[in-house]
Amino acid sequence: MRALFTTHSDFSDITPTQYDAAYAWIREAGLLDKVNSGVPVNCQVFDSAMAHSDVPWFRDADLLVRRPDELPEDALCAAEALGLSPEEAYAQVGAVWGKVDTEERSRIGSAGELALLELLSESAEGRVEHVAAWSDGYGYDIFVDASQHSAHLEVKTTLRVGRLTIYISRNEYETMLRDPAWELVAVRLTPELKLKEVAAVPREWIADHVPSDRTTRGRWQSCRLDIPPEVPVPGIPSIASILVESAPEVLRGVSER
């Protein structure tokens, strides 16, 4: 195939170096594994370009791109080259962002739970269990029990500085309403997935900002909350009384800068 591109006159507008770079990208993006897909090739290429380009605007596409006319110039140029209209490109960006965001939230969320679990196991008196490892029905992720005090911690994780966006399920919310030991803990990790900051989001703020069921025929099951930076309380107030003396400052509410 490379010989065809380097010798045939129909392909003289592309150099061997450009061909090699394009082929490497196609292979790395997994497009060679989708040759029998029913999805149009131009849509596959556009999706892969968005998912693998590392353009800075893409991770905030949910906030930055809310209409076709808000698509950045690079996305519009790619769409035009592939024969996609702005409306089609907008739909593709939304679909790709949703898939990438879901996968990233799962990866980061698991890392945050495990990082906090390890730190609590070393720093809190009593029993610490990762209940989310065997069931998601509890409405929280980590159980801490020390004599006559317990805490049920729902963990949300981010790598971002200055933006905390979380997703809360109906089960988690209703658990919060009936369980006084429930607390939502926001964990910030470094890009290397090391625990950097821990803070608690007051339940009163959550209750004030979740959607309302306006009729008996409509019921929300999951919602996204964008939490302002001044809302979280540093540390984990519900376990402050059961931390050992050697517990790190990050659990006591002091960031490790």
Side-chain angles (χ1 to χ4, degrees), residues 34-128:
K34 302 176 181 179
V35 292
N36 295 319
S37 170
V39 179
V41 172
N42 60 342
C43 292
Q44 291 186 47
V45 173
F46 185 81
D47 289 357
S48 294
M50 293 300 100
H52 297 89
S53 63
D54 292 327
V55 290
W57 60 266
F58 184 73
R59 66 176 182 172
D60 289 321
D62 60 320
L63 294 179
L64 300 176
V65 184
R66 297 190 174 184
R67 301 189 309 271
D69 61 5
E70 292 181 343
L71 283 168
E73 190 65 27
D74 52 0
L76 288 172
C77 288
E80 183 179 6
L82 291 165
L84 297 174
S85 69
E87 290 73 19
E88 290 171 322
Y90 173 73
Q92 295 293 113
V93 166
V96 175
W97 180 87
K99 180 179 179 181
V100 171
D101 181 63
T102 299
E103 293 174 350
E104 184 72 351
R105 282 193 286 117
S106 178
R107 181 181 75 90
I108 299 303
S110 295
E113 288 179 22
L114 293 176
L116 183 61
L117 182 73
E118 180 180 1
L119 197 60
L120 289 173
S121 297
E122 299 169 350
S123 308
E125 298 175 341
R127 181 165 53 101
V128 178

Side-chain angles (χ1 to χ4, degrees), residues 13 44 59 63 66 82 132 145 148 161 177 200 202 235 239 244:
D13 59 336
Q44 291 186 47
R59 66 176 182 172
L63 294 179
R66 297 190 174 184
L82 291 165
D145 181 42
Q148 297 185 7
V161 178
L177 294 180
I239 66 167
V244 299

Side-chain angles (χ1 to χ4, degrees), residues 179-245:
D179 182 0
W182 189 96
E183 186 162 38
L184 193 147
V185 178
V187 171
R188 182 164 74 85
L189 302 179
T190 67
E192 297 75 33
L193 304 184
K194 302 296 183 182
L195 192 147
K196 183 69 175 178
E197 290 183 279
V198 175
V201 180
R203 62 174 61 212
E204 295 80 10
W205 189 93
I206 297 171
D208 286 343
H209 291 84
V210 296
S212 297
D213 295 334
R214 294 185 296 174
T215 74
T216 58
R217 297 183 181 275
R219 173 184 172 91
W220 68 269
Q221 290 299 106
S222 177
C223 73
R224 188 182 82 176
L225 298 174
D226 295 310
I227 302 172
E230 68 273 11
V231 169
V233 178
I236 307 178
S238 65
I239 66 167
S241 63
I242 60 173
L243 292 175
V244 299
E245 284 190 21

